[in-house]
Amino acid sequence: MEQFDALVIGGGLVGSAVAFGLTESGMRVLILDEGDVTLRASRGNFGLVWTQSKGVGAPHYHRWARKSARQWPTLAARLSELTGIDVGLEQPGGLHFCLSEGELSDRAEMMARLKREAGDFGFDYRMLTHQEAAEMVPGLGKQVVGASWTPYDGHVGPLPTLRAFHQAIQQGGGIYRPGSSVQDIDAAPHDFRIRLAGGALVQAPRLILAAGLGNIPLLPKLGLNCHIGPQRGQILVTERVSRLLSMPTLNVRQTAEGSIMIGDSKEEAVFDSLTQKPDVMRTMAERAVACFPWLAELQIVRAWAAVRILPVDGLPIYDQSAQYPGAFAFSCHSGVGLAAAHALLLAPMVRNGELSGECSQLSSRRFDHV
Ligand SMILES: Cc1cc2nc3c(=O)[nH]c(=O)nc-3n(C[C@H](O)[C@H](O)[C@H](O)COP(=O)(O)OP(=O)(O)OC[C@H]3O[C@@H](n4cnc5c(N)ncnc54)[C@H](O)[C@@H]3O)c2cc1C
């Protein structure tokens, strides 16, 4: 029987970030990943490292998202040092555009609330007029009435990040094993065994369930309830152009390679990343062109749909099983933005066997009284 310090089920951004953090602390990790056949949010997302609007009414989540944004430069530098991969992190601040006076006043109210709730942690932001926003980004459309801005926001390449995680884990003695679909877990406190296709058995005292929507059938095996579901989103990508946008916005960003990505759709709860909806794409494109009319001149070269892992209240879920200590289950939206917290803050908690600070406030126990 092959033995490891930790088994991680799921090799998307969440499982890989945690596995990377564990590898950095000297643990030998095996990632079991179903592979390129399933719903994988980590390969179809928009790439924002975003904090504005995170955690309204939940200041612990806002702090967690901000801590992650703060840790991102350390993570990017470490991944680059280990693997030579530049993950394309930029954190010049970010803009959220409002296309009507109503949107702008709702946004101003929400940002003021975030600041109030942040207390001593602080929350630096500005509400901008059209003119002020136009001075930050070129060719802003007349329909943009105003915007909110924070200095904390940014973006990164999700695919280079995932690749860098996998490479760094393997360089650190860990194993990434794609094509390994876990159907069953033999669980006892601090003793987890998984039989792989072909019959081989792997064992570790720690288990991390990070299979995205694949967590749904596996959570009950660890004595945990499920509080997540799917939400589809679509992305449009233009041809590459010279650098036009100096900072990301919620719905339009320019990648390090020069493509413009457009994506802010939130659609029905379906486990389906194959169907693309032209009417949704049209709405996304129209809103993007309203923000930046020059976008209308660019060719769309790619488009896809992907499915978010959405906890019922939108906040991440970090659990350690009470029935089987040593087993952890993590499910979240915003796994790009949170990757630095997962690698550098959450993984040490897994290693130490206890979820503390904001993570203990983000356990699924919060749903017990609902
Ligand atoms: C359209 C869209 C836009 C988004 N934009 C952003 C953004 O701008 N910023 C941001 O921070 N977040 C964004 N997200 C969210 C982010 O992509 C996710 O939070 C993150 O990718 C979740 O990672 P994950 O590892 O939990 O899940 P996944 O990426 O789904 O990975 C789960 C992995 O587990 C594997 N798996 C499943 N079941 C099993 C099993 N039984 N055995 C073994 N392996 C299994 C799968 O093969 C998969 O590789 C977006 C998501 C979508 C869909």
Side-chain angles (χ1 to χ4, degrees):
M1 181 167 64
E2 259 190 301
Q3 292 184 318
F4 295 85
D5 297 320
L7 303 175
V8 177
I9 305 178
L13 279 168
V14 174
S16 301
V18 174
F20 170 71
L22 296 177
T23 306
E24 283 281 88
S25 72
M27 290 174 75
R28 190 155 176 269
V29 180
L30 171 66
I31 302 182
L32 297 166
D33 191 21
E34 207 160 30
D36 273 2
V37 291
T38 47
L39 302 164
R40 289 149 318 123
S42 300
R43 295 179 195 239
N45 66 67
F46 193 54
L48 292 178
V49 176
W50 211 244
T51 66
Q52 56 171 296
S53 76
K54 304 283 181 201
V56 182
H60 50 293
Y61 173 42
H62 182 74
R63 278 197 302 278
W64 183 242
R66 288 267 301 286
K67 284 182 183 178
S68 193
R70 203 186 290 159
Q71 292 284 341
W72 248 108
T74 307
L75 175 65
R78 182 69 181 142
L79 288 172
S80 164
E81 180 189 341
L82 289 170
T83 66
I85 296 171
D86 176 1
V87 296
L89 176 70
E90 290 178 3
Q91 292 177 295
L95 289 166
H96 174 115
F97 296 130
C98 301
L99 300 192
S100 70
E101 292 295 344
E103 270 185 39
L104 189 61
S105 70
D106 288 351
R107 188 77 187 167
E109 208 172 290
M110 195 206 81
M111 298 296 274
R113 181 175 173 193
L114 272 173
K115 187 173 178 74
R116 242 183 356 261
E117 291 176 347
D120 289 344
F121 192 72
F123 179 57
D124 191 7
Y125 80 97
R126 281 171 60 201
M127 294 305 300
L128 306 175
T129 61
H130 171 91
Q131 193 49 41
E132 288 166 330
E135 282 162 18
M136 288 185 169
V137 281
L140 191 64
K142 288 195 175 60
Q143 286 187 56
V144 176
V145 176
S148 61
W149 170 87
T150 64
Y152 316 111
D153 293 326
H155 56 159
V156 71
L159 295 180
T161 302
L162 196 57
R163 205 177 120 231
F165 274 141
H166 289 173
Q167 190 173 317
I169 290 161
Q170 293 181 94
Q171 284 174 206
I175 297 176
Y176 170 72
R177 202 167 278 169
S180 304
S181 175
V182 174
Q183 306 299 325
D184 209 1
I185 303 165
D186 190 0
H190 305 291
D191 181 1
F192 303 95
R193 291 153 198 251
I194 293 172
R195 190 168 297 284
L196 304 178
L201 201 59
V202 291
Q203 186 274 341
R206 279 187 185 70
L207 174 74
I208 295 95
L209 186 51
L213 292 167
N215 277 358
I216 294 172
L218 296 175
L219 284 162
K221 297 183 190 297
L222 300 176
L224 293 164
N225 293 323
C226 177
H227 302 280
I228 57 173
Q231 182 194 64
R232 189 168 54 197
Q234 296 187 55
I235 308 266
L236 305 175
V237 183
T238 73
E239 62 187 306
R240 292 180 181 181
V241 286
S242 58
R243 178 58 78 149
L244 294 168
L245 287 178
S246 57
M247 69 174 69
T249 78
L250 182 73
N251 59 328
V252 179
R253 77 176 187 96
Q254 187 165 23
T255 66
E257 297 78 21
S259 307
I260 308 280
M261 291 180 75
I262 300 167
D264 60 352
S265 71
K266 292 179 178 148
E267 299 158 56
E268 69 271 38
V270 285
F271 291 89
D272 168 16
S273 61
L274 297 178
T275 311
Q276 296 178 10
K277 294 239 175 127
D279 54 326
V280 174
M281 291 182 181
R282 190 177 314 117
T283 306
M284 286 161 59
E286 280 168 1
R287 191 170 169 98
V289 169
C291 297
F292 296 111
W294 47 266
L295 274 174
E297 304 301 318
L298 300 184
Q299 300 292 324
I300 300 290
V301 294
R302 274 190 295 149
W304 64 78
V307 185
R308 295 182 181 87
I309 297 113
L310 204 64
V312 291
D313 63 357
L315 275 53
I317 303 175
Y318 303 117
D319 274 325
Q320 178 166 199
S321 166
Q323 199 174 343
Y324 304 111
F328 297 83
F330 304 141
S331 307
C332 70
H333 179 53
S334 303
V336 182
L338 294 174
H342 292 160
L344 304 179
L345 306 177
L346 181 61
M349 296 181 208
V350 171
R351 184 189 167 89
N352 295 335
E354 193 182 355
L355 300 180
S356 56
E358 286 89 9
C359 289
S360 59
Q361 290 174 280
L362 289 166
S363 105
S364 67
R365 288 190 302 277
R366 67 184 185 263
F367 302 112
D368 286 353
H369 57 277
V370 178

